[in-house]
């Protein structure tokens, strides 16, 4: 049985002015603000190839300016009659969309009778879609609001709302509070700025795998899929396609399938999860009763599993590797909802709920097809506690700092060796060393370090970037701080492989720890 890691196991962070700038070997490195760009610093050689990003409040837009061209603006408009357009929408998208178009049109164009019928039919369709679990209006603040479900601390006031590394090349997208997206690329001096009239309240961004210049954006009105040009004329040549469905707003999460062919989006106000075929601009809804709307989704790295968290205590794991219809397993947490989740190697799922005190659990999803001696006391799918996140105070003289509590964001690097945890009420990011076994179980876990910023800074969001070239052994954790500073935190192991003493933290394997001891209803229910 694996020993549960506690925040007490971490070394006390520094209380001096310097910020934590790197974990090189087993040593934690600190640096003063004025020396961040000093090439003689030990961490500098590991981050010099990453783009330098800093967002100052005065560069944010104070008013809406001309938007970037959308896909529809690239062609000359065709002025068809309204009835011809309704017939065309009916033929291409179905009766429901045709009714919506007629209801949103000026009554003088379609006649008052047609408009009256269309509005009533749309009202009936909305009622059928909403059902008893649908929220009519999301709260603007507090529990259930957009700021509450997104994986960004202080999302409504943060200078940087989210950031995302491209999975295959050193390209970083940064979303600022004015809902503009800046693209920073290695070796490209031009920084494209993406803006669109529909790009409001951006919650999440996701790069399309195997397509270096396509970016999906979750926002208030739907999903924007950008095709980005990195030339000097990028602001005029980049264009976006808006994907939207009735009652599927606001969108708070977008995630590409690892093969880049499918895009999934979700909304806290919709019980449907939409699977988009962006080439056809068509979406297929996946609906399950219970759990209210959806807060976020994640694909597994292999693409065979899709995690979906609801705004209640239910979460589901879809088997997207099935040859026919996707089956789903339903799980529940005792209180709150799933706040964060991430996949690691070998179909290992880590998640934590919003309840106090917070605990990170591991759920192995890989089937052991060679285990022919299964017994009633052995279940390959039992969530086990890994990390106790009960708040801890570190003190030095008259100063102290708290770490722990509710989790806002959690990132696992692609190799499964480092887990970063960002808290709602702590200025520190906890970095944990992990090791995953062949059967999707975490077999070792150790404290790494606590990452602190400069005085007055708190972390807002973060994302891992894995360098695949053999020239650089560094793993990079990029953190956006409340000051607008974007930090590239290098993690470097001196050895060629992970330096972990497995036996030091492993006890004899025992299955006496049952999931019901933690008040978890984690027996899979197929619905």
């Amino acid at each position: 049985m694996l020993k549960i890691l506690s925040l007490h196991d971490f070394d006390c962070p520094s209380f001096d002015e310097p910020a934590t700038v790197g974990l090189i070997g087993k040593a934690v490195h600190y640096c003063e603000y004025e020396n961040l760009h000093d090439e003689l610093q030990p961490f500098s050689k590991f981050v010099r190839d990453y783009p330098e990003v800093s967002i100052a409040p005065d560069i944010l837009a104070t008013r809406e300016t001309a938007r970037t061209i959308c896909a529809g603006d690239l062609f000359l408009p065709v002025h068809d009659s309204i009835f011809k357009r309704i017939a065309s929408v009916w033929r291409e998208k179905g009766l429901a969309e045709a009714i919506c178009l007629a209801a949103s049109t000026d009554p003088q164009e379609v006649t008052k009778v047609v408009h009256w019928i269309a509005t009533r039919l749309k009202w009936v369709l909305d009622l059928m879609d909403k059902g008893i679990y649908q929220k009519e209006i999301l709260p603007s603040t507090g529990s259930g609001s957009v700021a509450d479900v997104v994986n960004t601390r202080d999302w409504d006031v943060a200078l940087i709302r989210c950031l995302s590394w491209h999975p295959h090349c050193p390209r970083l997208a940064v979303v600022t509070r004015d809902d503009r997206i800046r693209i920073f690329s290695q070796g490209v001096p031009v920084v494209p700025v993406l803006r669109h009239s529909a790009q409001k309240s951006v919650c999440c961004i996701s790069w399309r795998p195997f397509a270096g210049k396509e970016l999906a954006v979750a926002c208030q009105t739907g999903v924007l899929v950008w095709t980005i040009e990195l030339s000097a004329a990028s602001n005029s040549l980049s264009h976006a396609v808006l994907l939207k469905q009735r009652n599927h707003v606001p969108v708070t999460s977008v995630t590409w399938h690892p093969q880049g062919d499918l895009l999934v989006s979700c909304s806290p106000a919709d019980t449907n999860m939409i699977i988009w075929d962006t080439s056809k601009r068509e979406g297929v809804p996946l609906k399950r009763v219970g759990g209210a709307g959806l807060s976020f989704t994640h694909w597994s790295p292999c693409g065979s599993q899709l995690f979906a968290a609801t705004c209640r205590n239910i979460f589901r794991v879809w088997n997207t590797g099935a040859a026919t219809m996707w089956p789903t397993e339903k799980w529940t947490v005792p209180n709150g909802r799933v706040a964060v989740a991430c996949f690691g190697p070998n179909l290992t799922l880590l998640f934590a709920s919003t309840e106090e005190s917070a605990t990170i659990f591991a759920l192995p999803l890989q089937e052991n097809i060679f285990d022919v001696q299964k017994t009633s006391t052995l279940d390959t799918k039992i969530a086990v506690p890994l990390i106790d996140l009960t708040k801890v105070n570190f003190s030095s003289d008259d100063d102290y700092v708290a770490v722990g509590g509710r989790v806002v964001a959690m990132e696992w690097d692609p190799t499964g060796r480092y887990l970063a945890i960002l808290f709602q009420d702590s200025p520190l990011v906890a970095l944990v060393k992990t090791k995953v076994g062949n059967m999707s179980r975490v077999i070792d876990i150790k404290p790494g370090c606590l990452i602190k910023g400069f005085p007055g800074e708190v972390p807002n969001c973060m994302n891992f970037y894995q360098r695949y070239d053999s020239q650089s052994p560094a793993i990079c954790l990029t953190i956006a701080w409340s000051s607008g500073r974007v930090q590239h935190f290098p993690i470097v192991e001196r050895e060629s492989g992970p330096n972990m003493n497995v036996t030091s933290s492993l006890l004899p394997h025992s299955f006496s720890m049952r999931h019901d001891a933690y008040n978890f209803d984690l027996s899979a229910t197929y619905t």
Side-chain angles (χ1 to χ4, degrees), residues 21-55:
V21 292
L23 179 61
I24 303 175
K26 296 181 180 179
V28 180
H29 289 256
Y30 298 86
C31 182
E32 301 278 356
Y33 183 81
E34 56 269 18
N35 296 327
L36 280 178
H37 304 291
D38 185 356
E39 287 292 325
L40 298 179
Q41 292 291 331
F43 69 94
S44 295
K45 62 182 179 180
F46 299 109
V47 299
R48 62 167 60 103
D49 291 334
Y50 295 106
E52 182 180 343
V53 183
S54 182
I55 304 298

Side-chain angles (χ1 to χ4, degrees), residues 249-293:
V249 290
V251 177
T252 54
S253 175
V254 286
T255 313
W256 288 98
H257 186 278
Q259 295 300 320
D261 52 347
L262 298 176
L263 176 70
V264 59
S265 66
C266 66
S267 169
D270 190 2
T271 56
N272 290 340
M273 179 171 58
I274 307 298
I275 307 295
W276 297 96
D277 183 342
T278 57
S279 62
K280 299 179 181 178
R281 304 187 196 179
E282 295 178 352
V284 176
L286 295 182
K287 183 169 184 173
R288 285 294 182 269
V289 177

Side-chain angles (χ1 to χ4, degrees), residues 56-78:
D58 56 359
I59 74 171
L60 302 185
T62 56
R63 62 184 177 87
E64 185 62 29
T65 57
R67 65 178 176 85
T68 302
I69 301 173
C70 73
D73 297 331
L74 299 177
F75 305 95
L76 294 176
V78 178

Side-chain angles (χ1 to χ4, degrees), residues 91 246 344 346:
R91 182 173 59 255
R246 201 159 38 88
N346 303 330

Side-chain angles (χ1 to χ4, degrees), residues 282-304:
E282 295 178 352
V284 176
L286 295 182
K287 183 169 184 173
R288 285 294 182 269
V289 177
L294 300 173
S295 53
F296 67 92
T297 60
H298 284 307
W299 291 98
S300 64
C302 62
S304 66

Side-chain angles (χ1 to χ4, degrees), residues 216-482:
V217 182
C219 53
Q220 179 71 33
T221 55
V223 179
L224 280 169
V225 179
W226 283 95
T227 300
I228 304 163
E229 292 297 331
L230 300 177
S231 62
S234 57
N235 286 349
S236 60
L237 294 180
S238 299
H239 62 274
V241 173
L242 179 62
L243 307 176
K244 59 181 181 179
Q245 282 206 7
R246 201 159 38 88
N247 299 322
H248 191 70
V249 290
V251 177
T252 54
S253 175
V254 286
T255 313
W256 288 98
H257 186 278
Q259 295 300 320
D261 52 347
L262 298 176
L263 176 70
V264 59
S265 66
C266 66
S267 169
D270 190 2
T271 56
N272 290 340
M273 179 171 58
I274 307 298
I275 307 295
W276 297 96
D277 183 342
T278 57
S279 62
K280 299 179 181 178
R281 304 187 196 179
E282 295 178 352
V284 176
L286 295 182
K287 183 169 184 173
R288 285 294 182 269
V289 177
L294 300 173
S295 53
F296 67 92
T297 60
H298 284 307
W299 291 98
S300 64
C302 62
S304 66
Q305 305 285 332
L306 176 60
F307 175 92
T310 71
C311 294
R312 295 184 183 173
N313 67 331
I314 296 173
F315 68 93
R316 294 182 175 88
V317 180
W318 296 75
N319 182 9
T320 59
T324 55
M325 295 183 62
W326 294 351
T328 178
E329 297 177 358
K330 184 173 75 172
W331 309 78
T332 59
V333 294
N335 296 299
R337 60 173 177 83
V338 174
V340 292
C342 54
F343 279 100
N346 303 330
L347 288 180
T348 307
L349 175 66
L350 301 186
F351 66 93
S353 67
T354 57
E355 65 177 339
E356 293 288 350
S357 60
T359 302
I360 293 178
F361 287 83
L363 180 61
L365 298 176
Q366 190 177 65
E367 298 287 354
N368 186 358
I369 60 175
F370 299 105
D371 184 9
V372 296
Q373 298 180 346
K374 293 183 179 179
T375 65
S376 59
T377 60
L378 174 59
D379 188 351
T380 59
K381 292 186 179 180
I382 296 178
V384 295
L386 278 186
I387 309 174
D388 179 10
L389 299 179
T390 302
K391 190 172 292 187
V392 174
N393 290 329
F394 292 96
S395 60
S396 175
D397 297 331
D398 296 331
D399 201 1
Y400 78 95
V401 64
V403 60
R406 177 176 170 178
V407 183
V408 174
M410 184 168 66
E411 294 282 335
W412 209 354
D413 90 283
T415 66
R417 289 182 288 171
Y418 293 94
L419 179 71
I421 309 167
L422 190 154
F423 304 95
Q424 177 62 50
D425 300 313
S426 174
L428 305 177
V429 173
L431 187 67
V432 180
K433 298 179 180 180
T434 59
K435 185 176 182 180
V436 180
N438 292 331
M439 288 310 301
S440 82
R441 294 185 182 275
V442 178
I443 61 175
D444 191 26
I445 186 165
K446 289 182 178 181
C449 66
L450 297 174
I451 305 173
K452 64 182 287 286
F454 292 106
E457 288 185 334
V458 297
N460 291 125
C461 55
M462 59 187 180
N463 191 227
F464 266 110
Y465 174 66
Q466 174 68 47
R467 297 194 65 163
Y468 293 97
D469 58 277
S470 59
Q471 301 291 326
S472 175
I475 298 172
C476 177
L477 173 64
T478 299
I479 306 171
W481 297 90
S482 56

